């Protein structure tokens, strides 16, 4: 399956040449393996270019799928191949509708960002399942934590990035807020009430996928 990562090499014109690593997202070891003598980390980074002369914003919106990639590396050959590593965070819970909302967070040597994000997203999935928060509210909370506490960069894969105003992205409405779902629920309640059956609030909660990018 692999632990996919993208590796972007900065050019003198401040654009990037983009390459792929099939296992580079596992432990962030490419930070130490990429050097002037081993620019492709002894084969851990594929030689063929994914894209050339591309801006950082376009790396995010055109190539860094948060459901597929686990890490992004920015390499500066002019600074003795200094490498900055970023964890890719998928900010949604999959149900086949929205899959492209993501964030990158600069990673430390202990990779604590990855552990924090997985734990936080798993806890929020449980809260959604219990009906305490809607999926929309949980996602808004998660995005706020990523930005305010970790200085993360939000983006939507497949759409133009707008980091200044935060516009251009509208989360899909929660399932239980749609008119048809409310109509179905009301009919169900009326039917159970006629028969004297007990209802269960848990039937109205949204599904949550606890996994991150894979």
């Amino acid at each position: 399956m692999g632990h996919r990562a993208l590796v972007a090499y900065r050019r003198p014109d401040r654009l990037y040449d983009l390459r792929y690593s099939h296992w580079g997202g596992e432990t962030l070891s490419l930070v130490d393996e990429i050097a002037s003598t081993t620019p492709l980390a002894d084969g851990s980074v594929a030689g063929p270019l994914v894209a050339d002369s591309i801006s950082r914003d376009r790396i995010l919106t055109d190539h860094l799928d948060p459901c597929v990639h686990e890490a992004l590396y920015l390499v500066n050959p002019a600074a003795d191949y200094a490498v900055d590593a970023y964890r890719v965070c998928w900010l949604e819970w999959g149900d086949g509708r929205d899959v492209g909302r993501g964030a990158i967070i600069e990673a430390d040597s202990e990779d604590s960002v990855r552990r924090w994000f997985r734990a936080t997203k798993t806890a929020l999935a449980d809260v959604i399942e219990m009906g305490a928060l809607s999926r929309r509210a949980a996602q808004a909370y998660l995005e706020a934590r990523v930005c305010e506490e970790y200085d993360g960069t939000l983006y939507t894969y497949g759409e133009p990035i707008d980091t200044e105003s935060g516009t251009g992205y509208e989360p899909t409405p929660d399932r239980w807020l749609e008119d048809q779902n409310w109509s179905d629920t009301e009919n169900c309640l009326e039917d159970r009430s006629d028969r004297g059956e007990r209802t269960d609030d848990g039937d109205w909660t949204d599904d949550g996928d606890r996994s991150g990018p894979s």
Side-chain angles (χ1 to χ4, degrees):
M1 185 172 77
H3 295 271
R4 301 169 180 86
L6 293 180
V7 185
Y9 295 80
R10 185 170 178 174
R11 299 157 47 101
D13 57 7
R14 299 187 179 182
L15 298 176
Y16 291 87
D17 289 339
L18 192 62
R19 289 183 167 88
Y20 169 77
S21 174
H22 194 64
W23 295 99
E26 185 173 13
T27 62
L28 301 182
S29 60
L30 294 185
V31 171
D32 298 320
E33 295 173 4
I34 293 175
S36 58
T37 55
T38 55
L40 299 182
D42 285 332
S44 295
V45 180
L49 290 175
V50 175
D52 64 346
S53 303
I54 188 172
S55 68
R56 173 171 155 164
D57 285 357
R58 283 193 57 208
I59 292 173
L60 304 183
T61 61
D62 293 2
H63 298 281
L64 194 69
D65 187 341
C67 292
V68 172
H69 300 102
E70 298 181 36
L72 170 67
Y73 297 87
L74 298 183
V75 183
N76 189 351
D80 197 24
Y81 281 82
V83 182
D84 293 322
Y86 296 82
R87 272 299 171 193
V88 180
C89 302
W90 183 38
L91 300 174
E92 299 181 275
W93 289 266
D95 62 2
R97 296 181 296 173
D98 287 339
V99 295
R101 189 64 166 169
I104 57 169
I105 302 176
E106 188 167 6
D108 55 28
S109 58
E110 298 179 356
D111 207 7
S112 59
V113 167
R114 187 185 208 182
R115 293 192 297 273
W116 167 81
F117 184 76
R118 286 181 171 178
T120 302
K121 190 175 180 183
T122 298
L124 285 173
D126 290 337
V127 172
I128 293 171
E129 289 179 358
M130 291 185 294
L133 276 180
S134 71
R135 189 182 65 170
R136 179 189 290 256
Q139 184 178 339
Y141 170 81
L142 187 59
E143 291 193 5
R145 291 284 305 275
V146 164
C147 291
E148 295 170 7
E149 297 188 29
Y150 287 90
D151 195 26
T153 299
L154 304 177
Y155 70 97
T156 303
Y157 174 70
E159 293 184 7
I161 192 168
D162 188 346
T163 55
E164 296 297 326
S165 64
T167 59
Y169 174 76
E170 179 67 23
T172 300
D174 296 299
R175 259 184 245 167
W176 59 83
L177 295 181
E178 295 170 0
D179 293 340
Q180 182 60 44
N181 288 339
W182 273 115
S183 177
D184 293 344
T185 301
E186 289 169 354
N187 292 336
C188 179
L189 287 174
E190 290 175 0
D191 183 58
R192 290 189 178 187
S193 176
D194 291 341
R195 299 199 305 266
E197 295 182 7
R198 181 180 178 182
T199 62
D200 181 1
D201 288 345
D203 292 339
W204 307 337
T205 60
D206 198 1
D207 294 332
D209 180 358
R210 303 179 189 178
S211 64
S214 61

